[in-house]
Amino acid sequence: MASLSTSVISLPRHPNSSPPTFSTDLRISSHPALSLVDQCTSIKQLKQVHAQMLRTGVFFDPYSASKLIAASALSSFSSLDYARQVFDQIPQPNVYTWNTLIRAYASSSEPAESILVFLEMLDHCSECPDKYTYTFAIKAASELRALQVGRGFHGMTIKASLGSDIYILNSLVHFYGSCGDLDLARRVFVKTPKKDVVSWNSMITVFAQGNCPQEALELFKEMEAENVKPNDVTMVSVLSACAKKVDLEFGRWVCSYIQRNEIKENLTLNNAMLDMYVKCGSVEDAKRLFDRMPEKDIVSWTTMLDGYAQLGNYEEAWRVFAAMPSQDIAAWNVLISSYEQSGKPKEALAVFNELQKSKSPKPDEVTLVSTLAACAQLGAIDLGGWIHVYIKKQVMKLNCHLTTSLIDMYAKCGDLDKALEVFNSVERRDVFVWSAMIAGLAMHGQGRDALEFFSKMLEAKVKPNAVTFTNVLCACSHTGLVDEGRTFFYQMEPVYGVVPGIKHYACMVDILGRSGNLDEAVELIEKMPIPPTASVWGALLGACKLHGNVVLAEKACSHLLELDPRNHGAYVLLSNIYAKTGKWDEVSGLRKHMRDAGIKKEPGCSSIEVNGSVHEFLVGDNSHPLCKEIYSKLDEMALRLKSNGYVPNKSHLLQFVEEEDMKDHALILHSEKLAIAFGLISLSPSQPIHVVKNLRVCGDCHSVAKLISKLYDREILLRDRYRFHHFREGHCSCNDYW
DNA sequence: GTAGGGTTAG
């Protein structure tokens, strides 16, 4: 046997040194060149064998040429371009040769080529595509999620009398599922005459991955009832369905089922069990399994890492991260996204920084999506903009995920123009891209524009979803478009097929309540088909505060506290209503109750980004290095405001403060004012002051910001928990409607 | 001589 340990290959001499003859020569299948093909470990070696085959003429035997193509296209060192070159040298490729190329492209990174080769085959091959050809071509269509193309193949298989081939039918189930058409997948499955285990597996997988975990589990039971023995692949999908359903009990049952039925455990199955445990919240079960797994790969480690991170146990998460054999980008992404999603955007950015410093792995699309979301939370536009440039420099394709994140980041960082620029620059806009743009316009108070975008979206034939409607209603709420809001709300289900959810009800209550239609808001709550949640009562309570309706406020508040007894926001709102109507006894009563129950008001916190770093201020904060300068600026501001007729609005104090002077003092120390003062001293006059506040802006701070924008001739952009306030020349973009 | 179904991060 020839050895390939050297890079230059010398083929063994043919036993009788005479050139081989082909066509009918059966010895060809054992020709030495062919066994060499199997031993190649690099494209270079393959090329040497190829050259020898050409020289000896072996290449012109279709069987031999196909082997060469298979090796160049399907091996670990595969090069499809090379395979294509080899293919093009073959004078008359047969069906098998065509199949090899179509198969190789189908599972490559360019499945579209597979379809093109299939079409070429129809033109150039004297034989018809066979059952193998179709399975490969259908696989390519699945990869591409090309519904129409696949349907075409489906029709062709029927015409070619291959309509009952089990391989083709199973591929079709998988294909329709990956196109998201569960209905067609099911129809093919139902019509499959003799279902084998793969048929069942395919359909279960389609349900599990298509957000129908319940159907997946039911089908598994049906499969059992039909006495089809499930295998390891079945169980992977069943576990995935348990994970999606967050059904730990059933998940545990499945694990014991696997043992009872002696389904052979392998790495993938163990990983699926790990994932199920983690998704169902039992990292303990996951850890027990992890410790006894004979083999672990990067997926096992990443799943454990995710388990700890999701539970907020970052100490253990970092320990797993450090212990993994290698940290791939997925591991970094777990950390960044879990920090970002649990409201720790600063930590997320710190991890991103570490990743940058470590040089490898390179951030991928998921990294950037999570990091942009963290920037959006913080209002960190410098880093956000940097990532935008990074994407352009890396010539990364802006897919819809990234586009959505960029629009969201720019909008939440106050740069609506940039958000629009991104929106206008892309070719493809899915429902999320449109919805993000509508949300951006809404939060900047441009409700009418938001609605115009909504109609453009409909014109573009993009179907709105629940998120779209939340944003549309939000736009109506921020701009006070009551009639429009009502119309959209009542059109949702009959016209667009989107059933109003709790968020939509909360928005609608907000729209009605805010505009003073408190009775209608109450009526809507009473008629809701789903039980109202804290957010719904919260919206009503907010409206009561705006319109000074103490009686209704107390009712809303008691409902709210019934559902969420520790909701400090409710106490604050009610207390504000009491304060507004001068009921100071009630204010102190509430205060006392909060103290006794150990409920603390979430401290107001404002942050401002100056030269790329984020500075945070709490109320009365004096921890900033420039604290002295900030406070003297505040004194100056107070004087200037007073001399311009400003009177502090004390109803915005939660605390009952005896001394009048103290009240003024507490107000002037609100975090947003500290941040604005810091902005005034550290930014050049041409730079707008961007402040992000964690709570809703207080009424007094709102008036102050308006005045400052005029007296100091500065633009102030304040983002509160709900929206943007853009102060310019004494006015706010919200028109004092918020 | 070829085939179909599976696990991690948004």
Side-chain angles (χ1 to χ4, degrees), chain A residues 400-555:
Chain A
C400 287
H401 261 302
L402 264 179
T403 308
T404 305
S405 307
L406 277 172
I407 291 173
D408 185 60
M409 183 277 294
Y410 277 125
K412 287 190 177 147
C413 289
D415 198 336
L416 192 58
D417 289 338
K418 267 279 196 200
L420 282 162
E421 201 181 298
V422 172
F423 180 87
N424 289 324
S425 73
V426 295
E427 285 170 20
R428 231 178 78 73
R429 303 184 186 102
D430 68 2
V431 61
F432 295 100
V433 171
W434 280 100
S435 303
M437 198 61 243
I438 291 169
L441 291 161
M443 72 178 88
H444 283 272
Q446 306 198 11
R448 298 234 173 249
D449 292 327
L451 297 189
E452 201 170 301
F453 269 73
F454 180 69
S455 14
K456 279 193 206 156
M457 167 181 167
L458 297 178
E459 278 168 33
K461 299 264 182 286
V462 177
K463 211 172 147 299
N465 64 16
V467 177
T468 323
F469 278 106
T470 307
N471 300 344
V472 164
L473 292 173
C474 201
C476 296
S477 141
H478 288 329
T479 318
L481 303 170
V482 186
D483 293 336
E484 290 84 347
R486 219 185 259 121
T487 309
F488 285 123
F489 182 78
Y490 289 108
Q491 279 182 345
M492 279 178 68
E493 200 173 346
V495 181
Y496 303 100
V498 179
V499 180
I502 203 74
K503 279 190 181 166
H504 306 109
Y505 279 98
C507 262
M508 201 55 218
V509 168
D510 186 67
I511 292 172
L512 295 169
R514 204 185 281 272
S515 57
N517 298 298
L518 287 169
D519 294 342
E520 197 183 337
V522 172
E523 204 180 311
L524 181 70
I525 296 178
E526 282 165 355
K527 282 189 187 154
M528 276 173 68
I530 38 179
T533 57
S535 60
V536 175
W537 291 114
L540 186 66
L541 185 57
C544 293
K545 186 209 155 198
L546 200 61
H547 297 284
N549 189 329
V550 182
V551 180
L552 193 55
E554 284 173 334
K555 187 181 157 195

Side-chain angles (χ1 to χ4, degrees), chain A residues 20 106 125 224 237 335 362 438 465 617 642 673 680 708 727:
Chain A
C125 185
E224 279 229 278
S237 285
L335 287 169
K362 270 177 76 168
I438 291 169
N465 64 16
F617 297 92
K642 228 168 210 165
K673 295 195 184 91
L680 281 172
I708 289 177
F727 302 98

